[in-house]
Amino acid sequence: MKNNKSRKKYVALIVAVIVLGIVLALAFSSYISTGERFIVRSEVTYIILALMLLLPISMIALLIAMTFGKKQETDDQKPKKVVFDGKMPYMLPYAQQPKKGGKAEEEEEEIKSRFYMLSEIDANRGKYIKSGYNDGITLKSFCEEFRNFACSKMKLYYSIDDIRRFVAGLSVSKIVILQGMSGTGKTSLAYALGEFLGNSSTVVPVQPMWKERTDLVGYYNEFTKRFNETTLLHKMYEANYSKDIYVTILDEMNIARVEYYFAEFLSLLELPNPERRYLDVVSDEWENDPVQLKGGQMKLPNNMWFIGTANNDDSTFAISDKVYDRAMIMNLDNKSEPFRAPKTKGIKITAERFMELGREATEEYAITNRNMRRLEKLDEYMIKVFHITFGNRIMKQIKEYIPIYVSCGGEELEALDDILSKKVLRKLETQNPVYIRSVVDGFCDYLDELFGQNKMKLCKEYAQRIKKNV
């Protein structure tokens, strides 16, 4: 309606200008026809002079009218935004929208957050705070119930020794590598743990082209102005609001080079203080970024464990010492025999309580002085014969792993045999094969002399396997 009225005004203005132009043209032509200096030869001259004055005046008037008309039409056709007053929505042009800082502006800024999934977690943070945890469980009962749960609920069969090694490894390090032949239940074991704890594991299928951290956590897309968030980033952010144990499975982790895409995680997990483990997510900071992003960094949750599965074949990369030294290793080379188990429910335990059980075990079942002396002698022998040593990191893991394994229901020498075969003897694979073949039998004899006959079965089997392969 307003547009029609405005157009009528502009038309009237144009007509008035044209009439004024004609009057001026006639007056001017009359003047020049009676002047002494001008000679009018015919009436055509009047018409020509009038048109000459009328045409530019009319064009100028029309241009002015069209310019103002277009501006008004553009203002009227500008998109409008719905603003709510608590009762009914109504429309306001952008010129009349609330200024920056108003309610509508805040809603718009929230919508434009570059982290959609993380902002959703912030909005629903209350549902991640749970209760009803069973913190009275022991490590021994944890292993037994987990084994029975995997059997009765998921038809997965594992020996009690494998379960003890798995749980003890989780208590020592946030990184556990399950390696062995395909089809032995490596991924299933890690997935069953999440089901047992009532918090499903996150499976991350590693891709062959992965080379950096962004392959795991995502990256900022300059074109969409949004952050391409991954499921792992989502789960890590969620874990910082929760007390639950979170399990992330890096499936076929060595199909790409682990020390490339997982390098930053390896370095952060080495820091003794969990409160200082901050992962770089973006290089800058926006005002409407999620609450837990500080300066573009997010805290690496202390209640998350990374379990990698590794196949040893021609399609994969060899895992470097840097990764092996920081992780706990478990070999799954054979399938366990099926057995019957009572129906068992899962448990709820906080990550803090699970870690506390490990600390209590290291104090209660500390490695005996006798076995410490044996370890020192073995270390001297390894330096002399193979020019390798345990190292401080491996020695620390041994002192933690053995008590926890005993707390899980195992024997001390069994734990020592297991961790030596995976952490120390694997270094023999890089030695001169001819030399290794010549000294392996003497090494097995020394183990019998030091620990007793038929005691270090896994170490001797590993040494004989190396001899055979080289």
Side-chain angles (χ1 to χ4, degrees):
M1 194 69 179
K2 285 185 176 181
N3 287 343
N4 292 335
K5 290 182 178 180
S6 299
R7 287 170 183 168
K8 289 179 180 179
K9 290 180 180 179
Y10 300 139
V11 171
L13 179 61
I14 292 172
V15 172
V17 171
I18 292 173
V19 171
L20 179 61
I22 294 173
V23 172
L24 291 175
L26 291 175
F28 181 70
S29 62
S30 176
Y31 165 77
I32 63 174
S33 66
T34 57
E36 296 178 355
R37 296 183 183 180
F38 296 94
I39 301 173
V40 180
R41 297 181 178 179
S42 67
E43 296 180 357
V44 176
T45 306
Y46 292 105
I47 299 174
I48 294 174
L49 290 174
L51 290 176
M52 288 176 62
L53 289 174
L54 178 61
L55 185 60
I57 294 174
S58 300
M59 291 299 296
I60 294 172
L62 182 61
L63 181 61
I64 294 173
M66 290 179 63
T67 302
F68 281 98
K70 185 176 180 180
K71 183 178 185 304
Q72 180 63 34
E73 184 177 354
T74 302
D75 291 340
D76 291 339
Q77 292 180 352
K78 273 188 177 180
K80 301 175 182 180
K81 185 165 73 173
V82 179
V83 178
F84 295 89
D85 62 355
K87 297 178 182 179
M88 293 292 290
Y90 58 92
M91 307 289 286
L92 284 178
Y94 273 102
Q96 301 177 30
Q97 289 300 314
K99 301 298 181 182
K100 188 174 182 179
K103 182 178 179 181
E105 182 69 21
E106 292 175 358
E107 291 175 357
E108 183 180 1
E109 289 299 318
E110 183 177 354
I111 292 172
K112 289 183 179 180
S113 174
R114 55 178 169 172
F115 292 92
Y116 173 76
M117 295 170 64
L118 304 192
S119 297
E120 285 290 307
I121 295 173
D122 282 337
N124 300 284
R125 70 187 73 177
K127 74 177 185 179
Y128 305 112
I129 303 174
K130 302 175 183 178
S131 59
Y133 294 102
N134 179 16
D135 287 343
I137 195 170
T138 63
L139 284 176
K140 182 178 181 180
S141 59
F142 184 98
C143 294
E144 293 171 350
E145 291 185 28
F146 176 39
R147 180 173 183 252
N148 291 336
F149 175 88
C151 174
S152 62
K153 295 288 187 180
M154 308 182 71
K155 305 301 179 186
L156 299 173
Y157 309 104
Y158 299 96
S159 68
I160 188 62
D161 290 339
D162 283 341
I163 296 296
R164 287 168 180 161
R165 292 172 188 140
F166 182 52
V167 173
L170 293 169
S171 298
V172 173
S173 174
K174 289 292 196 304
I175 311 171
V176 176
I177 299 177
L178 306 179
Q179 61 183 15
M181 296 176 58
S182 179
T184 53
K186 300 184 294 295
T187 305
S188 299
L189 177 61
Y191 185 78
L193 177 63
E195 298 303 301
F196 177 63
L197 296 170
N199 188 18
S200 295
S201 303
T202 302
V203 181
V204 179
V206 177
Q207 302 301 312
M209 71 290 295
W210 282 9
K211 291 184 178 180
E212 55 187 26
R213 164 185 52 83
T214 56
D215 295 317
L216 278 174
V217 302
Y219 61 93
Y220 178 70
N221 190 320
E222 291 286 353
F223 180 73
T224 63
K225 305 301 180 183
R226 291 292 183 92
F227 192 92
N228 287 11
E229 302 165 72
T230 64
T231 303
L232 177 58
L233 181 69
H234 181 192
K235 284 296 180 180
M236 288 194 298
Y237 194 83
E238 175 186 312
N240 281 318
Y241 279 125
S242 177
K243 296 181 179 180
D244 288 354
I245 294 175
Y246 280 72
V247 177
T248 295
I249 304 172
L250 300 175
D251 199 27
E252 296 192 48
M253 70 182 304
N254 61 331
I255 202 169
R257 292 194 180 277
V258 184
E259 61 273 19
Y260 287 0
Y261 68 85
F262 205 61
E264 192 167 351
F265 290 83
L266 292 172
S267 299
L268 290 176
L269 291 171
E270 279 287 286
L271 298 178
N273 184 2
E275 299 301 320
R276 299 181 65 86
R277 298 172 184 167
Y278 277 85
L279 182 72
D280 290 326
V281 180
V282 286
S283 59
D284 57 359
E285 183 176 9
W286 288 13
E287 185 178 352
N288 59 352
D289 276 347
V291 176
Q292 296 187 88
L293 278 185
K294 306 296 183 182
Q297 294 182 320
M298 182 181 70
K299 181 184 174 185
L300 189 65
N302 196 38
N303 56 337
M304 177 172 283
W305 276 256
F306 297 91
I307 303 175
T309 64
N311 293 325
N312 300 322
D313 54 41
D314 295 336
S315 65
T316 59
F317 292 97
I319 299 176
S320 66
D321 286 346
K322 175 182 178 180
V323 180
Y324 267 128
D325 288 350
R326 288 162 173 76
M328 293 302 295
I329 314 299
M330 179 178 169
N331 296 318
L332 279 175
D333 295 318
N334 302 300
K335 285 187 174 182
S336 297
E337 294 294 327
F339 61 93
R340 290 185 177 181
K343 291 184 178 181
T344 307
K345 296 181 180 180
I347 66 167
K348 291 186 65 178
I349 182 174
T350 62
E352 179 58 36
R353 178 54 184 162
F354 180 77
M355 292 184 286
E356 188 177 347
L357 288 173
R359 292 191 291 267
E360 292 175 355
T362 56
E363 296 177 1
E364 184 175 357
Y365 301 100
I367 186 171
T368 61
N369 292 331
R370 182 185 182 187
N371 282 330
M372 280 300 303
R373 290 192 296 269
R374 287 171 168 172
L375 275 176
E376 292 172 0
K377 291 181 179 180
L378 180 61
D379 190 25
E380 293 173 0
Y381 179 89
M382 298 292 289
I383 294 173
K384 180 180 178 181
V385 177
F386 300 109
H387 304 288
I388 59 175
T389 183
F390 292 179
N392 293 332
R393 181 185 288 111
I394 292 178
M395 199 65 202
K396 178 177 181 294
Q397 292 172 348
I398 290 174
K399 291 180 179 180
E400 292 178 356
Y401 179 80
I402 293 175
I404 295 172
Y405 185 88
V406 173
S407 182
C408 290
E411 298 292 331
E412 186 170 287
L413 274 183
E414 291 177 358
L416 182 58
D417 183 23
D418 176 57
I419 194 168
L420 286 178
S421 66
K422 295 181 296 191
K423 284 289 185 176
V424 180
L425 296 192
R426 64 170 300 275
K427 297 181 183 295
L428 298 180
E429 296 180 5
T430 61
Q431 301 290 309
N432 186 307
V434 177
Y435 177 74
I436 293 297
R437 187 183 295 113
S438 65
V439 298
V440 160
D441 291 336
F443 172 69
C444 293
D445 292 339
Y446 183 77
L447 289 177
D448 287 339
E449 178 186 338
L450 188 60
F451 295 98
Q453 293 287 335
N454 303 320
K455 289 297 183 182
M456 305 298 283
K457 182 179 177 182
L458 294 176
C459 285
K460 289 185 286 187
E461 286 180 354
Y462 195 94
Q464 291 297 335
R465 191 182 307 122
I466 294 176
K467 176 184 176 181
K468 181 180 177 181
N469 292 336
V470 299

